[in-house]
Amino acid sequence: MTLRRLVVAAAVVDDLATPRLLLAARRSRPIELAGRWEFPGGKVDPGETPVEGLHRELREELGVQVELGAELLGPDDGGWNITDRHVMRLWLARVVAGEPEPLVEHDALRWLPAGEWESVDWLDGDVRIVEALSEWVAREAV
Protein backbone atom coordinates (compact mmCIF):
# COMPACT_ATOMS: atom_id res chain seq x y z
CA MET A 1 0.00 0.00 0.00
CA THR A 2 1.30 3.43 -0.97
CA LEU A 3 1.09 6.20 1.61
CA ARG A 4 -0.63 9.24 0.23
CA ARG A 5 0.57 12.76 0.95
CA LEU A 6 -2.00 15.02 2.56
CA VAL A 7 -3.28 17.94 0.52
CA VAL A 8 -5.66 20.52 1.98
CA ALA A 9 -7.99 22.71 -0.03
CA ALA A 10 -10.86 25.12 0.30
CA ALA A 11 -14.15 25.44 -1.46
CA VAL A 12 -14.08 29.23 -1.22
CA VAL A 13 -17.69 30.39 -1.28
CA ASP A 14 -19.55 33.66 -0.82
CA ASP A 15 -21.54 32.46 2.21
CA LEU A 16 -20.88 29.48 4.50
CA ALA A 17 -24.56 28.85 5.27
CA THR A 18 -26.03 29.29 1.78
CA PRO A 19 -23.25 29.26 -0.84
CA ARG A 20 -24.23 30.77 -4.17
CA LEU A 21 -20.75 31.32 -5.61
CA LEU A 22 -17.73 29.00 -5.69
CA LEU A 23 -14.19 30.18 -6.49
CA ALA A 24 -12.27 28.06 -9.01
CA ALA A 25 -8.55 28.53 -9.67
CA ARG A 26 -6.98 27.74 -13.06
CA ARG A 27 -3.58 26.05 -12.93
CA SER A 28 -0.68 27.60 -14.78
CA ARG A 29 1.80 24.83 -13.91
CA PRO A 30 3.01 22.16 -14.18
CA ILE A 31 2.42 22.00 -17.92
CA GLU A 32 0.38 18.78 -17.73
CA LEU A 33 -2.14 20.52 -15.43
CA ALA A 34 -2.06 24.00 -16.99
CA GLY A 35 -5.47 25.29 -18.04
CA ARG A 36 -7.41 22.97 -15.73
CA TRP A 37 -9.31 24.20 -12.69
CA GLU A 38 -8.95 23.24 -9.04
CA PHE A 39 -9.77 24.15 -5.47
CA PRO A 40 -7.06 26.42 -4.01
CA GLY A 41 -4.82 24.77 -1.43
CA GLY A 42 -1.75 22.59 -1.28
CA LYS A 43 0.43 20.22 0.67
CA VAL A 44 0.68 20.34 4.45
CA ASP A 45 4.22 21.11 5.60
CA PRO A 46 5.92 19.11 8.36
CA GLY A 47 4.87 20.40 11.79
CA GLU A 48 1.65 22.00 10.50
CA THR A 49 -1.85 20.88 11.28
CA PRO A 50 -4.11 20.52 8.23
CA VAL A 51 -5.96 23.73 9.19
CA GLU A 52 -2.70 25.68 9.63
CA GLY A 53 -1.50 24.42 6.26
CA LEU A 54 -4.74 25.44 4.59
CA HIS A 55 -4.61 28.97 6.00
CA ARG A 56 -0.96 29.30 4.86
CA GLU A 57 -1.72 27.98 1.38
CA LEU A 58 -4.64 30.38 0.90
CA ARG A 59 -2.49 33.35 2.00
CA GLU A 60 0.28 32.29 -0.40
CA GLU A 61 -1.92 31.37 -3.38
CA LEU A 62 -4.73 33.93 -3.15
CA GLY A 63 -3.54 36.62 -0.71
CA VAL A 64 -6.57 36.16 1.53
CA GLN A 65 -7.55 35.25 5.06
CA VAL A 66 -10.56 33.02 5.45
CA GLU A 67 -13.07 31.77 7.96
CA LEU A 68 -13.41 28.02 7.69
CA GLY A 69 -16.76 26.31 7.68
CA ALA A 70 -17.61 22.63 7.62
CA GLU A 71 -15.28 20.00 6.21
CA LEU A 72 -16.72 18.04 3.29
CA LEU A 73 -15.85 14.52 4.35
CA GLY A 74 -14.91 12.17 1.55
CA PRO A 75 -15.46 8.46 0.98
CA ASP A 76 -11.77 7.56 1.36
CA ASP A 77 -11.38 7.38 5.16
CA GLY A 78 -12.82 10.88 5.42
CA GLY A 79 -10.65 12.31 2.64
CA TRP A 80 -10.66 12.31 -1.15
CA ASN A 81 -8.06 10.27 -3.05
CA ILE A 82 -7.21 12.71 -5.85
CA THR A 83 -4.20 10.84 -7.29
CA ASP A 84 -2.45 7.61 -6.50
CA ARG A 85 -0.10 9.65 -4.25
CA HIS A 86 -2.34 12.36 -2.77
CA VAL A 87 -5.39 12.49 -0.51
CA MET A 88 -7.28 15.76 -0.09
CA ARG A 89 -9.24 17.19 2.80
CA LEU A 90 -11.55 20.04 1.85
CA TRP A 91 -13.30 22.73 3.90
CA LEU A 92 -15.81 25.39 2.99
CA ALA A 93 -14.20 28.80 3.43
CA ARG A 94 -15.30 32.43 3.23
CA VAL A 95 -12.91 35.31 2.57
CA VAL A 96 -12.72 37.67 5.55
CA ALA A 97 -9.70 39.78 4.51
CA GLY A 98 -8.16 40.52 1.12
CA GLU A 99 -9.40 40.14 -2.43
CA PRO A 100 -8.57 36.79 -4.06
CA GLU A 101 -5.97 37.05 -6.80
CA PRO A 102 -3.92 34.37 -8.57
CA LEU A 103 -0.49 34.75 -6.95
CA VAL A 104 1.13 31.31 -7.25
CA GLU A 105 0.48 28.36 -9.59
CA HIS A 106 -2.68 29.94 -11.04
CA ASP A 107 -3.26 32.37 -13.90
CA ALA A 108 -6.98 32.98 -13.40
CA LEU A 109 -9.73 32.82 -10.82
CA ARG A 110 -13.42 32.55 -11.55
CA TRP A 111 -16.46 32.85 -9.30
CA LEU A 112 -18.92 30.20 -10.51
CA PRO A 113 -22.62 30.71 -9.73
CA ALA A 114 -24.64 27.85 -8.22
CA GLY A 115 -25.76 25.49 -10.95
CA GLU A 116 -22.58 26.17 -12.95
CA TRP A 117 -20.00 24.73 -10.56
CA GLU A 118 -19.30 21.88 -12.97
CA SER A 119 -18.96 24.20 -16.00
CA VAL A 120 -15.15 24.42 -16.00
CA ASP A 121 -12.56 21.74 -16.79
CA TRP A 122 -11.75 20.61 -13.24
CA LEU A 123 -8.72 18.44 -12.51
CA ASP A 124 -9.72 14.79 -12.66
CA GLY A 125 -9.30 14.32 -8.91
CA ASP A 126 -11.54 17.31 -8.15
CA VAL A 127 -14.51 16.34 -10.35
CA ARG A 128 -16.20 14.01 -7.87
CA ILE A 129 -15.57 16.54 -5.08
CA VAL A 130 -17.33 19.28 -7.05
CA GLU A 131 -20.24 16.91 -7.69
CA ALA A 132 -20.44 15.95 -4.00
CA LEU A 133 -20.18 19.60 -2.94
CA SER A 134 -23.04 20.56 -5.29
CA GLU A 135 -25.21 17.76 -3.88
CA TRP A 136 -24.29 18.62 -0.28
CA VAL A 137 -25.10 22.30 -0.71
CA ALA A 138 -28.42 21.43 -2.40
CA ARG A 139 -29.35 19.15 0.55
CA GLU A 140 -28.34 21.78 3.13
CA ALA A 141 -30.44 24.44 1.39
CA VAL A 142 -33.67 22.46 1.79
Side-chain angles (χ1 to χ4, degrees), residues 45-60:
D45 285 342
E48 283 183 322
T49 67
V51 167
E52 290 168 344
L54 180 56
H55 282 288
R56 176 187 49 75
E57 285 286 343
L58 295 176
R59 279 191 312 273
E60 291 173 1

